[in-house]
Amino acid sequence: VDLVDTESGKVQVTLSWLPVIDDSSAVKTAAKHAKPNDDSAKGLVHIYIDSCSGLFNQRDPTYKPSPMVRLISNHEKSQQSWPKYYTNDPIIEQGFVMLIRAPYTDEIKIDVIDTASKKDDVIGTCTIRIWSLIEQPGMEYTLQPWLLKGNSPDAKISMSASLRGLLPPQCSPRKGQRPSEAGVKTTENFSAPTSGLSDLTYDDKVLPGRIRLLIHKAEELEKKDVGGKSDPYVVISYETQRAETQVCKKTISPVWDHEVWVDITENGDNQITLELFDKDKIGKDEKMGRTTIDVRRISKQKKLSQIWDNLIGCKSGKILWSAEFFFDTMVQEPDNTNFSKTEEVPAAPEPSVVPVKSGYREENAVQRDDDIPKPSSIPVHLPEVDETPPSISSPDSGYDNSVSTKEAYTPDEVTVSSPADAVSTLGYMGNVLGGFLRVTVHRAEDLVDKDIGGKSDPYVVIRYAGQKNKSKHVKGNLNPEFEF
C-alpha cells in the first residue's frame, strides 16, 4: 500500500476475514488447541451496560456520587462509559466490545468508579469469567442485575453479555504457518472447568440459617514489609460477629484453611465482609484489601466451592473461599463432597457433641485436639420437634460443630452427654472430660479507666490450649457489652 502525505514509501499488510460463529464447542476446541505463545483472538464479547442502582455510601447516605463504569480485560486497554453526575442510580446505556484470546483464563473486571472523588474511588466491582459465559445457552447472559461488591451492600449493575467465536482464516497471514493449523475442528467436546451464571443467582431476601465458611488462601497480595513479603491474616465480620484467621508469616500467598460458622438472622445484613491485614509488631496493622460475600447467594446455591474473589481497595490480590448454607429446618447432615480444604485431609470422626438449643450466637467453632475420645450421649428429656439442627465436622480438628436453631432456650430442651474418659487432669478439680464448651461473654462493669479522660477501650481475649478468640473493641466505655 502506498503511503500518503509523503514523497515515497510503501507498507505491506495482510487482511483476513475471521468468520464469526455461535458454536460453543468450536470455541472450546480452539482454546484447547491454542499454542503457548498464540495471542490470536478466539472470540469477541459484547457487553451492554444498562444502569446501576443502590450506589449509596453507608457512612454518608446523603452523598451522591458521579459514577462511571470501567471495563478491564486481560489483554486490552480499559474501556469506560461516560460519567453520570450526582446520582445514586445512573442510567448508562452503553455497549462495549472486547477481544478474547484465552477463553480458559480471560475475565473482564467491571468497576463502578466515583469520578467526583480525588482518587476515583471504586464504589463496587464484579467480574465476568469468559469460560462461564461460554457455558451459558447461546453463550449469552441476558439483561439482568449483577451484585456489585464494595461499600454499598445493595448496589447492583444491570447488564447483558454475549460471546461469539472467531474462526482462523483459511490462509493465515502469519509467515510460516502451516495450512493444517488454519482450520479448527468443531466436533470435539470439551468440558468446562467452572460453572456458569447459575452460581451468581441469589435469593430475594436474607433467610435465617447458618453458614459454614472456609477461607482457603490468597494470592498476589501486596508486599507491605521490608524484603518484599507480608504477614497477612483475614478478619471475617457479619453484624456483631467477628473472627480472625491465624497470621501467615512472610508470604504474599498465604494458606489459612480456616473454618468459621456464621449465624444469619432473617432479613439481617446481606453481606459477610472479608478484610485482609498485614500484621505489624509496631503500629496499626495495614489494610491489604477486602471483599464481601452475599449471604443471599449462598442460601440460593446451598453450596459454593473454591470461589476466587478479587480484592478491592488494594493494588492486587485475590482470595479463595468456600461456603455452605444450612437452613433452620434442615435435618440431614451436610455433604462434604467438593468442599474440602486445599490439601487432602483424613476423614473426620463420628459426631461427638449433642446439640443444645440456645438463643446465644456462636462466633467461631473452638477447636480441640484430634485425640480426644468420643463420649456417648444419653438423652434426658427432649420434647417432640419436627426439625433437628445439622452438624458439621471440621476435617482437621476432629470434633463436630453442632448447629443450634434460633428458638429460645427452655429448661425442658436439654440433652446431656455421659462422662467421657478423662484426657488429662487439673489438680484438685478432677478429670477433664472431652466435649465442646460454649462460652458467651455478655458484659463487664466498673472497669479501671486506662485512658486520658477517665475511659477505656476494652475487649476480651479467650484462650485455651493454643486456641484464641478475640471480641470487638468497645470504645470509651467502662461498662461494655460484648455478647461475644
Side-chain angles (χ1 to χ4, degrees), residues 350-356 368 374-375 377 391 398-403 415 417 434-437:
E350 292 297 320
S352 60
V353 179
V354 182
V356 178
R368 60 184 175 87
K374 179 182 68 175
S377 59
S391 60
Y399 72 92
D400 276 0
N401 219 359
S402 299
V403 181
T415 305
S417 298
F436 180 85
L437 178 64

Side-chain angles (χ1 to χ4, degrees), residues 208-220:
R210 219 163 182 234
I211 289 177
R212 175 195 178 205
L213 178 63
L214 192 62
I215 307 299
H216 296 290
K217 61 182 180 179
E219 292 181 357
E220 303 172 10

Side-chain angles (χ1 to χ4, degrees), residues 13-54:
V13 298
T14 301
L15 301 178
S16 300
W17 180 262
L18 305 182
V20 177
I21 58 171
D22 57 3
D23 184 4
S24 61
S25 63
V27 180
K28 294 176 183 178
T29 304
K32 180 180 179 181
H33 292 286
K35 304 300 180 182
N37 297 323
D38 183 10
D39 61 349
S40 61
K42 307 299 186 301
L44 54 87
V45 60
H46 176 267
I47 300 174
Y48 174 73
I49 309 294
D50 180 73
S51 59
C52 299
S53 62

Side-chain angles (χ1 to χ4, degrees), residues 176-358:
Q177 184 177 10
R178 293 171 295 179
S180 59
E181 297 175 351
V184 178
K185 297 179 182 179
T186 61
T187 58
E188 185 172 348
N189 185 20
F190 192 76
S191 58
T194 58
S195 58
L197 184 62
S198 60
D199 69 350
L200 297 176
T201 58
Y202 55 94
D203 285 321
D204 294 332
K205 64 178 183 178
V206 177
L207 302 178
R210 219 163 182 234
I211 289 177
R212 175 195 178 205
L213 178 63
L214 192 62
I215 307 299
H216 296 290
K217 61 182 180 179
E219 292 181 357
E220 303 172 10
L221 299 181
E222 291 184 78
K223 302 172 183 178
K224 293 289 187 179
D225 298 340
V226 178
K229 298 293 183 180
S230 296
D231 302 325
Y233 67 96
V234 183
V235 175
I236 306 107
S237 57
Y238 176 77
E239 294 184 338
T240 60
Q241 304 170 64
R242 187 177 184 275
E244 294 182 7
T245 68
Q246 74 273 21
V247 178
C248 292
K249 298 288 187 180
K250 297 180 180 179
T251 178
I252 55 174
S253 300
V255 177
W256 294 290
D257 279 333
H258 180 84
E259 181 182 281
V260 63
W261 287 84
V262 183
D263 290 318
I264 307 299
T265 56
E266 187 171 9
N267 296 323
D269 289 349
N270 55 34
Q271 301 290 327
I272 299 173
T273 302
L274 306 181
E275 296 178 285
L276 276 72
F277 293 89
D278 174 40
K279 188 70 174 179
D280 290 331
K281 294 181 179 179
I282 301 176
K284 189 176 181 180
D285 294 348
E286 294 183 79
K287 293 182 179 180
M288 300 184 69
R290 69 184 186 279
T291 188
T292 57
I293 302 173
D294 198 298
V295 300
R296 297 169 297 181
R297 178 185 175 192
I298 303 174
S299 63
K300 180 72 172 180
Q301 303 301 322
K302 307 301 185 293
K303 179 187 292 187
L304 292 169
S305 299
Q306 307 285 323
I307 303 297
W308 280 107
D309 268 342
N310 293 322
L311 298 175
I312 60 176
C314 58
K315 295 180 180 179
S316 65
K318 57 183 180 179
I319 189 169
L320 181 68
W321 56 270
S322 299
E324 190 171 6
F325 192 90
F326 298 96
F327 293 97
D328 285 343
T329 57
M330 291 180 65
V331 295
Q332 71 273 15
E333 292 192 359
D335 179 14
N336 287 327
T337 306
N338 298 326
F339 190 65
S340 59
K341 298 190 176 183
T342 52
E343 297 181 4
E344 186 176 352
V345 293
E350 292 297 320
S352 60
V353 179
V354 182
V356 178
K357 291 201 173 185
S358 170

Side-chain angles (χ1 to χ4, degrees), residues 441-450 454-460 472-483:
V441 180
H442 299 285
R443 62 179 181 271
E445 294 180 353
D446 302 326
L447 299 181
V448 178
D449 53 324
K450 292 290 187 179
K455 297 291 183 179
S456 296
D457 301 329
Y459 64 93
V460 178
K472 63 180 181 180
H473 289 74
V474 180
K475 300 290 185 180
N477 200 325
L478 299 180
N479 299 286
E481 293 189 1
F482 300 104
E483 295 299 337

